Amino acid sequence: MHKNLKTGIHNLYAALRAAFPEDLSAIAVETDNGLSYSWADIEQASAKMANLLVSLKLPAGARVAVQVEKSVEAMMLYLATIRAGYVFLPLNTAYQSAEIEYFIGNAEPAVVVCSPKNFGWVSKIAFKAGTQSVFTLGDDRSGSLLERAVHCSDQHMPVQSAADDLAAILYTSGTTGRSKGAMLTHGNMLSNAQMLKDYWGWQKGDVLIHALPIFHVHGLFVAIHGALINGSKMIWMAKFDPKLAVQKMAEATVFMGVPTLYVRMLAEPDLTKETAKHMRLFIAGSAPLLLETFNEWKERTGQTILERYGMSETVMLTSNPYTADARYANQSERRGGTVGFPLPGVSLRVQDDSGESLPTGEIGGIQLKGPNMSSGYWRMPEKTAEEFTSDGFFKTGDVGKIDERGYVHIVGRSKDLIISGGYNVYPAEIEGYINELPGVAESALIGVPHPDFGEVGIAVVISKPGAALNADGILADLKSKLANFKIPKRCVVVPELPRNTMGKVQKNLLRDQYKATFAV
Ligand code: MCA
Ligand code: AMP
């Protein structure tokens, strides 16, 4: 089995599998509810699920959409999908029916796997959209997927994928209110995983604390691929618990998290140099890491967080350095407030609106090119064309600069986006829902600083003449339709919105006006 796998090297799973330890009976995953899975379990269970998918005689390139609670079986379903050569489509568990209807309508998955509790409404949406099979998967190993897979063979040869074969679709960046499906290939993810293995100094014996959701790039690709491609054990937390995460540091060496996770662990008195001393590396990303968090972490634990920058469309694109490398004296420091250097193979530039590349230190739009970069958005060629330059660079929508030491700084965003606790919230989408409510004339969703989530939304709403609007009623209505993390943390009804001479709402003035709302 081992020797043949080398041939399927372009298949992402085959490449990960080639890195499994010789002793497959060793523990690969330990869960926070006392379960252990061996490397053989990972191989055999994902083979069974792959054979179940194969038995369905799916069309080539079929999408497998998955909205299930985090579990090791859900990770195995991901591995099964890519080893069988199909396209994995993870969906945030907080999405409600209107959101799911959009994603399933846009992606037209042949297979949908949902939580048992949601089967009723999800299967209705799926079958209406032409989905062939709907399975259930609980976070307690219940559901029809495992009931069927258990009868399938545990022998499966990963398909011979080409590097540019599609492996996953990640919905993101719906600045115009509707999300776009970023297409990632086996090559995008494998090249990134192989490069990060070296760049972040993964070593034999490393153990990863996995505390992130697995329906986004950070938890599903960067964390899982990082551990698997190093043959490293994962300590698997179904839901982030800061106290448990601090406790598990004594058995682990690597932690990855969004800034909110670091803020919450800093609130744990148990977090000390002593409890963190077994750890080798703390990585942060998905949202800005405040300098105060970076400094407080260093003071409390004696360890310097390594901040990196990524996107669903590009996986990881920059990172602070792992090793203090004397050869590059001025480039071997992890600097708070920066996202480090373009990763090996990534070309990054900063341009102004006219498409001129800017000199060192000047602020402009961050663009990149590299093997990690998505080929575009699923069935949206016009959107794809908008976000790529004529010479093939991807426009991130992030605003930043490269400083005199070569470090990249993200100073803002040109795209109208709020990143709350690491999740993206698109004001255009939320404003669309608010504007449809009776009595609403217009609304603006703005991001303001928040001590826990980093940034949260405040909805500023104006009513139609004579209409009496109830702010709590607006929020309750949104809560019945949208994922909970998207719900504005505050709604205010005002007589008018500030506008510029073009009549455009000046969100910057609103941000200034409300920026102290959640200050501690
Ligand atoms: C939960 N709530 C939130 C958020 N999460 N509100 C705003 N923003 C959030 N992110 C609210 C819920 O609506 C609920 O409110 C209440 O908090 C409790 O919900 P619960 O789920 O229990 O919250 P939690 O367990 O405290 O979750 C916080 C969290 C979670 C652990 C920080 O948000 C999280 O795991 N974030 C990670 C996101 C991630 O993986 N990002 C990577 C994207 P109510 O009771 O009123 O309903 S990938 C990416 O960005 C690129 C590629 C990259 O660079 O990595
Ligand atoms: P997503 O659309 O979910 O892939 O989120 C990607 C966006 O997250 C990027 O375009 C950035 O705006 C933001 N992001 C990711 N990492 C960082 C970071 N380290 N600092 C600031 N913003 C970040």
Side-chain angles (χ1 to χ4, degrees):
M1 182 63 171
H2 234 297
K3 65 182 179 331
N4 298 340
L5 282 175
K6 300 277 186 216
T7 57
I9 203 60
H10 285 312
N11 180 281
L12 174 59
Y13 176 78
L16 297 172
R17 172 68 183 75
F20 285 14
E22 289 293 329
D23 173 12
L24 293 180
S25 68
I27 299 302
V29 186
E30 257 171 35
T31 71
D32 52 359
N33 54 354
L35 296 178
S36 292
Y37 295 80
S38 68
W39 292 95
D41 291 333
I42 304 275
E43 164 57 25
Q44 290 159 10
S46 65
K48 284 171 172 275
M49 292 183 197
N51 283 323
L52 172 57
L53 294 176
V54 170
S55 73
L56 301 174
K57 305 211 181 326
L58 305 175
R63 275 75 63 203
V64 176
V66 179
Q67 186 195 32
V68 297
E69 298 305 318
K70 180 177 178 180
S71 69
V72 178
E73 287 74 22
M75 174 180 77
M76 291 166 170
L77 173 58
Y78 159 61
L79 297 175
T81 304
I82 58 172
R83 69 183 287 173
Y86 299 117
V87 179
F88 193 73
L89 164 49
L91 295 167
N92 190 318
T93 49
Y95 290 142
Q96 299 195 53
S97 54
E99 294 150 315
I100 293 297
E101 194 151 14
Y102 170 73
F103 296 124
I104 289 184
N106 182 264
E108 293 186 318
V111 174
V112 170
V113 184
C114 66
S115 303
K117 66 181 182 346
N118 294 337
F119 180 75
W121 62 268
V122 171
S123 56
K124 202 178 296 162
I125 292 171
F127 290 130
K128 201 171 92 186
T131 293
Q132 185 182 318
S133 306
V134 180
F135 296 99
T136 58
L137 175 63
D139 59 2
D140 54 358
R141 293 178 310 292
S142 62
S144 60
L145 181 82
L146 298 182
E147 285 161 9
R148 291 279 299 277
V150 73
H151 302 298
C152 297
S153 161
D154 64 6
Q155 298 300 308
H156 174 267
M157 174 60 75
V159 299
Q160 297 274 355
S161 305
D164 58 1
D165 280 351
L166 198 52
I169 294 176
L170 280 296
Y171 278 93
T172 182
S173 303
T175 41
T176 54
R178 278 300 183 201
S179 288
K180 298 169 286 190
M183 298 189 283
L184 291 174
T185 63
H186 286 258
N188 289 147
M189 296 199 279
L190 181 52
S191 60
N192 211 245
Q194 286 166 331
M195 180 271 299
L196 291 173
K197 178 177 186 299
D198 295 337
Y199 198 87
W200 286 343
W202 282 88
Q203 50 198 261
K204 194 162 175 48
D206 267 337
V207 175
L208 171 75
I209 296 175
H210 192 302
L212 288 161
I214 56 172
F215 43 68
H216 276 306
V217 163
H218 198 160
L220 181 59
F221 302 146
V222 188
I224 289 177
H225 295 167
L228 295 185
I229 208 161
N230 192 57
S232 280
K233 182 169 85 169
M234 284 186 263
I235 294 177
W236 185 268
M237 298 173 66
K239 193 168 159 53
F240 175 65
D241 171 338
K243 196 174 292 303
L244 182 62
V246 172
Q247 199 184 325
K248 290 294 181 184
M249 289 181 189
E251 306 163 37
T253 58
V254 182
F255 180 87
M256 292 185 196
V258 299
T260 299
L261 305 196
Y262 286 97
V263 167
R264 293 189 181 184
M265 288 190 287
L266 279 168
E268 293 301 324
D270 297 352
L271 176 71
T272 62
K273 284 189 178 62
E274 182 56 27
T275 49
K277 73 173 191 302
H278 189 265
M279 294 293 286
R280 165 178 78 79
L281 182 59
F282 292 98
I283 299 174
S286 308
L289 180 73
L290 296 183
L291 197 54
E292 66 186 87
T293 309
F294 176 87
N295 291 334
E296 195 181 339
W297 191 269
K298 193 170 183 176
E299 195 189 304
R300 179 84 77 79
T301 67
Q303 305 215 26
T304 307
I305 293 173
L306 179 152
E307 183 169 10
R308 82 325 171 261
Y309 166 32
M311 291 185 77
S312 300
E313 294 92 332
T314 66
V315 208
M316 296 301 104
L317 61 124
T318 78
S319 175
N320 270 277
Y322 169 62
T323 48
D325 185 332
R327 285 172 300 166
Y328 314 105
N330 71 341
Q331 289 195 336
S332 56
E333 179 196 355
R334 292 178 202 165
R335 292 173 62 205
T338 85
V339 289
F341 309 111
L343 283 160
V346 173
S347 309
L348 182 142
R349 69 188 185 194
V350 175
Q351 287 210 333
D352 63 17
D353 292 343
S354 69
E356 285 304 308
S357 287
L358 295 170
T360 300
E362 300 236 339
I363 290 175
I366 298 173
Q367 302 177 0
L368 74 123
K369 181 187 260 191
N372 54 314
M373 187 180 73
S374 163
S375 51
Y377 298 109
W378 173 258
R379 294 182 177 168
M380 291 186 182
E382 69 290 344
K383 286 281 178 199
T384 297
E386 274 171 36
E387 307 215 357
F388 283 80
T389 63
S390 53
D391 57 348
F393 276 72
F394 174 70
K395 295 184 262 185
T396 63
D398 294 309
V399 173
K401 66 178 181 183
I402 302 170
D403 71 19
E404 66 296 338
R405 291 169 60 182
Y407 285 79
V408 178
H409 299 240
I410 300 176
V411 301
R413 292 178 212 118
S414 57
K415 53 194 171 186
D416 192 7
L417 168 68
I418 295 167
I419 304 185
S420 175
Y423 290 145
N424 288 3
V425 178
Y426 307 110
E429 179 187 13
I430 315 301
E431 289 158 0
Y433 277 93
I434 298 175
N435 294 344
E436 282 169 9
L437 297 177
V440 172
E442 192 176 354
S443 63
L445 186 75
I446 51 160
V448 297
H450 186 276
D452 183 27
F453 295 119
E455 188 181 23
V456 294
I458 289 187
V460 187
V461 185
I462 44 179
S463 62
K464 285 179 178 152
L469 287 180
N470 174 306
D472 291 342
I474 290 173
L475 294 180
D477 188 280
L478 291 178
K479 213 164 165 68
S480 70
K481 294 171 186 163
L482 289 171
N484 57 8
F485 66 87
K486 295 180 185 175
I487 309 306
K489 296 299 182 204
R490 186 71 49 87
C491 175
V492 285
V493 179
V494 296
E496 61 179 350
L497 292 168
R499 295 177 192 282
N500 63 17
T501 49
M502 311 281 282
K504 195 169 174 337
V505 174
Q506 292 176 295
K507 288 195 170 184
N508 56 325
L509 298 185
L510 290 173
R511 277 191 285 270
D512 264 354
Q513 184 180 347
Y514 293 99
K515 66 186 176 192
T517 305
F518 298 100
V520 286

